[in-house]
Amino acid sequence: MPLHILILPSWYPNKLNPINGCFFREQAKALAKAGMRVSVISPSAVSMRNLELWRKLRKYPERYHDGEITTYQKVFLNTFPRMPYLQAKQFLLIGLKMFQQYVDENGKPDLIHAHAAIMGGRLALEISRCYGIPYVITEHSSGFARNIYKKKQLEIAKEAYRFAQARIAVSRPFGQLLERMFPDAFTDWIEVPNIVMPEFSPPVNIEGKSRLETQEHFIFLNLGIMTPIKGQRDLLKSFANSFQGDSRVRLRIGGDGPLRAELQQLAEELGILNQIDFLGSLDREQVVEEMRHCDAFVLSSHFETFGVVLIEALACGKPVIATACGGPESIVNGGNGILVPPKDIKALSKALQSIRTNYKTFIPEEIARDCHDRFGAESVAAKLQRIYEKVLSKI
């Protein structure tokens, strides 16, 4: 009999927002492809300020089949927007009801895999106490690095970690951070990265002439929500230091957010607005195209637990520049890019110049192959299956 795995994500894609938590869905699909029986239970909160979205989402089925994955997804209004502890309680109560329905219709799973402790992890803990089902946790939240959680939230996380049969971090530096924050809550943290999806692959002409020989511009790409922690201010200043007035070099920035107008104003003040393309929000297909047609990718964040956009760029054969901000250290190496300290405009400027000058020393085929070997679906699913089997062998 195949292993019966139930996924409890703290957030998850829905019909109107297919990107939110897409890495949870991708991992579930990889596990199913590896031969496991995989299901998902997802209580999904919607802000009280977005009643129209809630009304639209309520029209979709609460139980559906996503390929081989049986999915239960209940949309509810977040009635405690300023009280995180009560938000978690609301998530828990709805999740427990959904789990009872799931068991009635599908039987008990062999093991639960929760993603992020404060919501999904707490739900897994309560289910484990009531039903005796073992669970593991993967932590993703950058909130621990940013020190944004309140005391009660940290207590929830600590308890969920303590009773998990395995604790997984998406990068080694992030696991070390969690070890320092919760020294008495666990034995070891296991590193299992997020998955890069197969649609991220090199352009078909990767073995032909380099873009430097066939294109007018050298293009740097940055993707991310426009908030202070993504460091786009630093990136614009660094780009201006390196390439202001050089019409052969462009920076394309994909995404939207509260800082967009400020970033556009800063680009104008720095004299580089005519070298910057603000792309706005991009769907998955557009992200793939941007990755394939840039020359190098830049991640300028102040905090990251992993860096999915980095592995997406690497999978397309592109060299990367990234800040050593908590996740990229497990991704970037001398063969695929450059690491710089966060918030260090001078170091980032130097890295931009170095990538531009030494672009031909990076081998796209090798970058892409190494990325898929480390972060491909088969590799990640195999790591998780070994963890599941080890946990269940001890029960």
Side-chain angles (χ1 to χ4, degrees):
M1 291 288 289
L3 286 178
H4 181 180
I5 306 298
L6 177 63
I7 309 296
L8 299 181
S10 294
W11 56 95
Y12 201 68
N14 59 52
K15 298 295 184 181
L16 299 180
N17 188 356
I19 300 300
N20 184 42
C22 60
F23 40 87
F24 301 145
R25 179 173 178 265
E26 290 161 358
Q27 192 176 100
K29 285 186 170 291
L31 294 173
K33 188 176 181 180
M36 289 172 249
R37 178 186 172 191
V38 182
S39 300
V40 173
I41 288 178
S42 171
S44 298
V46 176
S47 170
M48 293 281 286
R49 289 179 287 185
N50 205 340
L51 289 172
E52 186 59 31
L53 175 63
W54 174 69
R55 292 189 184 101
K56 289 179 180 178
L57 288 172
R58 287 190 68 199
K59 297 178 181 178
Y60 292 100
E62 292 186 354
R63 180 183 184 277
Y64 58 93
H65 290 284
D66 180 12
E68 298 178 354
I69 302 170
T70 301
T71 305
Y72 288 67
Q73 189 168 46
K74 183 175 180 61
V75 179
F76 64 95
L77 286 173
N78 177 10
T79 53
F80 306 102
R82 298 182 182 277
M83 293 178 279
Y85 180 76
L86 292 180
Q87 290 177 28
K89 185 72 172 179
Q90 186 180 20
F91 183 99
L92 174 65
L93 294 175
I94 292 171
L96 289 171
K97 290 180 180 178
M98 294 173 70
F99 179 78
Q100 184 58 62
Q101 179 187 356
Y102 177 84
V103 170
D104 292 343
E105 296 174 355
N106 302 275
K108 291 202 303 184
D110 297 314
L111 183 140
I112 293 169
H113 189 157
H115 288 280
I118 294 173
M119 297 293 191
R122 186 185 187 193
L123 176 57
L125 171 61
E126 292 303 319
I127 291 172
S128 182
R129 285 172 169 169
C130 294
Y131 294 86
I133 302 169
Y135 71 96
V136 303
I137 292 180
T138 296
E139 191 53 74
H140 303 258
S141 176
S142 64
F144 296 103
R146 292 185 287 137
N147 197 30
I148 65 172
Y149 291 130
K150 297 181 179 180
K151 182 179 179 180
K152 285 187 176 181
Q153 291 173 297
L154 294 174
E155 290 173 351
I156 290 171
K158 180 178 179 179
E159 189 174 25
Y161 296 148
R162 180 184 293 126
F163 292 99
Q165 277 68 42
R167 286 147 292 272
I168 302 166
V170 291
S171 68
R172 178 181 50 80
F174 186 42
Q176 293 170 340
L177 170 69
L178 293 169
E179 182 177 354
R180 293 192 296 270
M181 290 188 68
F182 302 97
D184 58 347
F186 54 85
T187 51
D188 296 304
W189 284 90
I190 306 165
E191 179 187 352
V192 179
N194 287 318
I195 288 172
V196 63
M197 296 307 291
E199 59 260 40
F200 290 94
S201 59
V204 293
N205 64 344
I206 191 171
E207 295 180 357
K209 292 184 177 180
S210 76
R211 283 180 47 81
L212 287 179
E213 297 171 301
T214 60
Q215 301 294 325
E216 181 180 355
H217 301 110
F218 187 95
I219 297 174
F220 290 100
L221 177 66
N222 171 271
L223 301 176
I225 187 171
M226 293 178 175
T227 60
I229 68 167
K230 293 300 181 180
Q232 285 111 340
R233 292 191 192 102
D234 305 336
L235 177 56
L236 289 175
K237 293 175 184 178
S238 298
F239 184 86
N241 287 348
S242 299
F243 305 114
Q244 193 272 334
D246 187 344
S247 62
R248 298 168 300 173
V249 184
R250 300 194 66 82
L251 170 62
R252 292 170 69 81
I253 302 179
D256 210 336
L259 289 188
R260 179 166 180 171
E262 179 183 326
L263 293 172
Q264 290 174 315
Q265 178 64 33
L266 177 60
E268 185 172 10
E269 293 171 359
L270 292 169
I272 56 172
L273 186 59
N274 63 344
Q275 294 172 255
I276 310 296
D277 298 305
F278 288 96
L279 305 174
S281 297
L282 303 175
D283 62 26
R284 190 61 166 267
E285 291 182 358
Q286 290 172 315
V287 169
V288 173
E289 285 303 303
E290 290 293 334
M291 289 291 192
R292 286 179 175 173
H293 291 96
C294 73
D295 294 292
F297 185 86
V298 187
L299 183 143
S300 51
S301 299
H302 299 165
F303 303 103
E304 292 284 351
T305 59
F306 183 65
V308 170
V309 288
L310 287 177
I311 63 173
E312 290 172 348
L314 294 173
C316 294
K318 309 299 180 176
V320 300
I321 299 168
T323 50
C325 59
E329 298 95 308
S330 289
I331 299 172
V332 182
N333 57 50
N336 63 25
I338 301 172
L339 283 170
V340 299
K343 306 180 185 180
D344 190 330
I345 293 169
K346 183 177 180 179
L348 184 53
S349 298
K350 185 177 179 180
L352 291 169
Q353 294 167 358
S354 177
I355 288 285
R356 173 67 176 85
T357 301
N358 301 303
Y359 177 77
K360 290 185 180 181
T361 65
F362 294 96
I363 304 173
E365 300 93 334
E366 292 185 3
I367 290 174
R369 187 182 307 114
D370 173 69
C371 179
H372 283 284
D373 286 346
R374 289 194 288 156
F375 306 111
E378 291 184 7
S379 173
V380 173
K383 290 179 181 179
L384 289 172
Q385 185 165 0
R386 289 193 291 270
I387 292 170
Y388 298 160
E389 290 172 348
K390 184 176 180 180
V391 166
L392 292 171
S393 70
K394 297 178 180 179
I395 303 300

